Each structure stands twice: as C-alpha cells, then as structure tokens.
Amino acid sequence: MTSDDAFLYRGAMPRSTVELIQWHAGSSRETPVEERMPIVDPHLHIFGSANDRQYFRIDDYAEELTRGHRILKTVYMEAYRSGWRTTGPEHLRSVGEVESIASRTREPITTAYGHCEFAAGIVAHVDLTLGVRVVETLDALVEAGEGRLRGVRQVAAYDDGLVGSFIKELPPVRLMQNANFLDGFSKLQGYGLSFDVWIYHHQLDELTWLVDKFPGVTFILNHLGGLIGVGPYGKNRAESMKGWELSLRRLAERTNVFVKVGGMGMPVFGHNFEHKARPATSSEMATAWQPLIDICVSAFGTRRCMFESNFPVDRQSGGYTEIWNALKKATKAMSPGERHEMFYESACRAYRL
C-alpha cells in the first residue's frame, strides 16, 4: 500500500455509527474548556434508528450534552430524508421531517447549565424547482414548524469527480441557475425565510451570482463553502486554497451572506483524521482548522461568522466535546466580544432566535 492509498477518500461517512462508537470508546474523552461560554449550535442533524448504518437520535445528543459545554440553543438542519412522509404528494413529503422534529422538541433538554432549547430554529428541505407548488410546500412547512421554521435548504453540492462519485443522489449541475429553481427561490423573501447553502468551493462564484439576484434574502453558507481537499484538489492543495479564498472573499462582499465555520471534520476537507487509529484531539483539530477559520473571519468579520458542530457528520474526525474545545482553542487570541459573536450572537442574528 502506498502512502496515497492509505488516505483514499471513502465518502462523507466511512465509519458506521457502531464503528464510530467503538472508535471513540478507544480514546480518552476531554474535559470541556471554558465550559461556561454560551453557545448556539446552528447545524445539528437527527436521523435514523439503531437498526440503520448511520443514526443520531435526540437521546444520543442529550448524552453528548452531559459531557459539558454550555449549549443553550440548537438549529435543526434537514438531512437524509429523516421523518419524511412515505405517502401522499411528493412535494409535501419533506413536511413530515418538520412535523416530527417539532413535535419531539417542544420541551428543552435539561443540562448541567440549565436548559438547551433543542431545535429553537428549524431549517427544512424544499425542492425549489417545483414551480407553483413551492408555495403549497412552504405554507405546509411554516404550519408544521410551530413558529420555529427559520429557513430552507436544497443541497446544491455538485462535483463530477471523486467526491461526486460517492454521492448517491447528485443534484443537477448548476442547479442554482436553473430557471425553475430561480422561480421557486423568488417565493422565499415573502416568507421571511433564509436559505442555507451546501455547495463545494468550485461553485462559490455560481452562488455569488444567485446572491446578486436576491439581495433581500439572507444566505447562510454551510461548512465554509465546502473546500475539497481530496483527490486532485488535495494534490494541488495550495491552488485549491487560493481559489477558495478568492471566491469566498468575493462572496463576503455581499452583506446578506453569513458563513458557518465548521464541517471541517468531514473527510472531504482532506485532514485525514478519519484514517487514524484514534479520533483527533481538540489540539490536533485546532491546528488543522486554524488557517481556514482565520480566512473566514478576515473575509466576513465575526458578526457574520458562526461556529457549528455539523454533528454527527464531523464525528468521523472527533467527538462533540473535542470539536467545541478545538474551536475555543483556535480563537483564544480573539477578544471576548468577537468570540461571543461567533459562538452565540451571529447564529441568533442569522436565524432570528
């Protein structure tokens, strides 16, 4: 086996949940640092059951909270068709996810620091290419959200290379320029909903074009714009970083765009923690992530940067406690006010919490 073979990309979640539990059990867990710092986690997924290869339930998250960190609110992010209706009109099936999460999170989770408002905000899936039926979908999602629907997401992350080969349902190429998509998108502003964007870094200029068409919509860029660090992009990492940074800075000139600083534990970023014999420590993650964090802060400022866990997807690199420890360590040089923006206020502002 060559050194390149040892770090072959195997998709977003190469280890199953059971394998992850065993992997993390083999390493000592860290104690939370600065445990009193208030945090909003604006990107959390709940999906599956113990019978599935991948799952993360509300009880699993409640257990993570017992290990520390003062998480006061979370934003639920749609994913994996979790809770979707299995019958009825296709354009209303994603409403089931919002109905399910809203009904199961009416009461907060009790932690050592008080209450955590789980799903204080909800971001739902909607197919914006639906045409006039988008309005019916949005009406149903608003009702199902019980006052907590804050935005929608339609994954647009497209890659025609190594990364895309692991995605079972690739979105159409240039989805954000599709005429039907644009027609559906035009309905969002009337509902006061934001748009969460999950794309790869080579699509950032396409997103900038979309933002210019809809200056009245709040855009929330997921995972730093999806910097690919594997395959050909990983072999030319300096060039990839340069292209990502240039496009990110152009996008940041649009003041209606926020960025989620996280997701860096996903294997696609190319840090290779998923290949190690043990999960990464917070210090290891902080060192690897620091350059990316600094660029985001320089481009957007702390008022439009928010830290996220992207859990449980980032569990492929490190644990929940360790991820927040890493983000705290990476920002030690910042002022208390700047850190409060990134860990709490920016998410509250973007999602109107």
Side-chain angles (χ1 to χ4, degrees):
M1 178 183 290
T2 68
S3 58
D4 285 344
D5 291 336
F7 296 109
L8 284 175
Y9 180 70
R10 296 177 289 145
M13 292 193 282
R15 280 188 169 90
S16 70
T17 297
V18 171
E19 290 169 333
L20 281 170
I21 291 170
Q22 295 170 344
W23 189 50
H24 283 272
S27 114
S28 57
R29 303 302 299 265
E30 296 180 14
T31 300
V33 299
E34 300 179 86
E35 67 275 8
R36 302 298 302 181
M37 180 185 289
I39 296 172
V40 172
D41 187 345
H43 202 101
L44 197 73
H45 304 294
I46 297 295
F47 57 92
S49 70
N51 295 322
D52 297 315
R53 183 178 184 276
Q54 299 285 351
Y55 65 89
F56 192 65
R57 304 158 300 187
I58 294 176
D59 287 348
D60 297 322
Y61 182 61
E63 183 178 348
E64 293 292 344
L65 290 178
T66 65
R67 298 189 173 100
H69 290 302
R70 189 183 176 196
I71 313 293
L72 298 182
K73 305 174 191 289
T74 75
V75 175
Y76 174 84
M77 182 60 55
E78 66 85 24
Y80 312 115
R81 296 176 177 257
S82 176
W84 279 32
R85 297 172 181 173
T86 56
T87 60
E90 186 68 33
H91 67 290
L92 295 178
R93 293 194 177 184
S94 68
V95 177
E97 181 172 13
V98 176
E99 289 173 330
S100 174
I101 201 68
S103 67
R104 290 186 291 150
T105 57
R106 291 180 182 130
E107 298 297 325
I109 297 174
T110 302
T111 76
Y113 305 107
H115 293 314
C116 170
E117 293 180 50
F118 188 87
I122 297 173
V123 176
H125 169 85
V126 63
D127 180 357
L128 292 168
T129 68
L130 287 170
V132 295
R133 289 179 298 172
V134 167
V135 172
E136 185 181 355
T137 304
L138 292 173
D139 286 340
L141 289 170
V142 169
E143 182 177 358
E146 300 181 3
R148 286 182 279 159
L149 187 73
R150 293 294 181 268
V152 300
R153 184 171 81 156
Q154 182 174 7
V155 172
Y158 177 88
D159 181 72
D160 60 3
L162 172 66
V163 173
S165 70
F166 282 89
I167 301 175
K168 291 182 180 179
E169 296 183 14
L170 266 178
V173 62
R174 292 184 291 277
L175 170 66
M176 293 181 289
Q177 295 175 342
N178 177 283
N180 290 332
F181 176 91
L182 295 172
D183 182 54
F185 201 98
S186 68
K187 309 298 190 295
L188 291 183
Q189 190 168 352
Y191 287 83
L193 296 172
S194 59
F195 183 67
D196 264 72
V197 190
W198 173 216
I199 56 174
Y200 295 120
H201 75 271
H202 53 72
Q203 299 175 276
L204 282 169
D205 291 340
E206 181 185 338
L207 172 60
T208 300
W209 177 88
L210 179 66
V211 173
D212 284 343
K213 288 189 72 68
F214 296 99
V217 173
T218 296
F219 289 78
I220 303 174
L221 180 64
N222 297 176
H223 320 324
L224 294 78
L227 175 59
I228 300 177
V230 296
Y233 294 106
K235 291 178 181 177
N236 299 286
R237 193 172 188 88
E239 182 179 340
S240 299
M241 281 275 293
K242 182 179 179 181
W244 165 74
E245 181 177 353
L246 287 172
S247 293
L248 193 76
R249 289 187 181 278
R250 280 195 293 267
L251 177 64
E253 293 172 1
R254 283 71 181 169
T255 57
N256 57 321
V257 183
F258 288 77
V259 61
K260 287 182 178 176
V261 183
M264 297 170 284
M266 291 189 292
V268 72
F269 277 81
H271 297 304
N272 296 318
F273 291 130
E274 75 276 12
H275 296 286
K276 307 299 185 182
R278 56 163 178 76
T281 65
S282 60
S283 294
E284 290 170 333
M285 289 188 284
T287 298
W289 299 350
Q290 185 83 62
L292 306 183
I293 294 171
D294 290 347
I295 288 171
C296 285
V297 172
S298 173
F300 284 86
T302 56
R303 283 182 59 83
R304 290 189 290 139
C305 286
M306 67 187 87
F307 283 129
E308 57 160 331
S309 73
N310 190 36
F311 219 70
V313 184
D314 278 28
R315 196 181 191 183
Q316 299 286 335
S317 287
Y320 193 74
T321 298
E322 289 72 25
I323 286 171
W324 288 110
N325 277 355
L327 297 172
K328 290 176 179 179
K329 290 179 179 181
T331 55
K332 288 290 288 184
M334 291 184 179
S335 71
E338 289 172 328
R339 298 176 88 204
H340 187 63
E341 291 280 1
M342 296 187 70
F343 282 97
Y344 190 86
E345 286 291 344
S346 292
C348 289
R349 187 178 302 115
Y351 287 112
R352 309 173 307 284
L353 300 181

